[in-house]
């Protein structure tokens, strides 16, 4: 029997978080962290709300997941995020020792791959899950933002 809790399922949950960010006027990036098919953290960008450049969805999710688990290492967890992590978030993922990262859209300007940031050697990466949907939300956000200016 197929497990209904696959990467697509959890990326859809991350997209819900991204839509929440969009509705708040935040750059629409959403993240969830999963451990044993259970979402233990949900987050979205809060950089504008908190006036904090480090308040990325991933950073918020790492803090929440670590608090939930009672420890700083996320070795048995998976991060689902709608946009490729930036250098800062990839670095934080290194320190959490997260087991797997699944992301939607590539960030060709500021993504960890472009910046050549190293992930933890044991972290597995899956790219492009629901990339079209994730990318469309980002495009919509920036088109609307440009039209307001």
């Amino acid at each position: 029997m197929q497990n209904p809790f696959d990467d697509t399922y959890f990326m859809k949950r991350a997209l819900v978080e991204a839509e929440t960010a969009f509705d708040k006027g935040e750059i629409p990036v959403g993240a969830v962290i999963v451990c044993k098919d259970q979402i233990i953290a949900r987050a979205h960008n809060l950089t504008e709300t908190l006036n904090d450049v480090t308040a990325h969805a991933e950073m918020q999710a790492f803090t929440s997941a670590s608090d939930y688990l009672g420890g700083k290492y996320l070795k048995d967890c998976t991060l689902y995020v709608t946009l490729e992590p930036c250098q800062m978030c990839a670095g934080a993922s290194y320190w959490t020792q997260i087991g797997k990262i699944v992301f939607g859209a590539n960030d060709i300007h500021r993504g960890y791959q472009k910046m050549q940031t190293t992930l933890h050697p044991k972290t597995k990466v899956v790219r492009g899950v629901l990339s079209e949907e994730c990318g469309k939300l980002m495009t919509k956000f920036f088109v609307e933002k440009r039209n307001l200016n």
Side-chain angles (χ1 to χ4, degrees):
M1 186 159 99
Q2 184 178 350
N3 182 355
F5 302 113
D6 61 5
D7 289 343
T8 300
Y9 174 86
F10 289 116
M11 186 60 74
K12 286 179 181 177
R13 306 290 78 75
L15 262 168
V16 169
E17 289 296 320
E19 290 164 359
T20 300
F22 181 93
D23 293 342
K24 291 180 175 181
E26 296 277 358
I27 294 175
V29 177
V32 297
I33 295 181
V34 174
C35 189
K36 299 177 184 154
D37 290 335
Q38 178 183 349
I39 295 173
I40 63 168
R42 301 170 188 272
H44 53 270
N45 267 5
L46 290 172
T47 58
E48 299 299 320
T49 302
L50 299 177
N51 199 26
D52 178 356
V53 297
T54 68
H56 290 195
E58 301 96 320
M59 302 297 277
Q60 302 299 308
F62 291 148
T63 299
S64 183
S66 294
D67 185 53
Y68 178 85
L69 293 174
K72 60 187 176 182
Y73 297 116
L74 305 175
K75 295 176 185 182
D76 298 323
C77 299
T78 300
L79 167 68
Y80 292 88
V81 62
T82 57
L83 183 67
E84 176 186 347
C86 71
Q87 186 173 18
M88 173 184 68
C89 295
S93 77
Y94 182 99
W95 293 110
T96 69
Q97 299 179 24
I98 195 134
K100 182 177 171 185
I101 297 173
V102 179
F103 67 84
N106 286 316
D107 184 344
I108 61 171
H109 300 291
R110 295 186 175 145
Y112 81 91
Q113 295 172 107
K114 167 81 173 174
M115 302 300 222
Q116 300 178 357
T117 305
T118 303
L119 299 175
H120 192 276
K122 292 184 180 178
T123 300
K124 296 179 182 87
V125 178
V126 177
R127 298 164 176 83
V129 175
L130 298 179
S131 61
E132 189 172 323
E133 293 89 333
C134 296
K136 280 183 182 179
L137 188 59
M138 291 293 287
T139 300
K140 179 181 176 185
F141 176 81
F142 285 109
V143 166
E144 287 185 14
K145 191 157 186 78
R146 283 185 201 110
N147 288 337
L148 290 175
N149 295 330

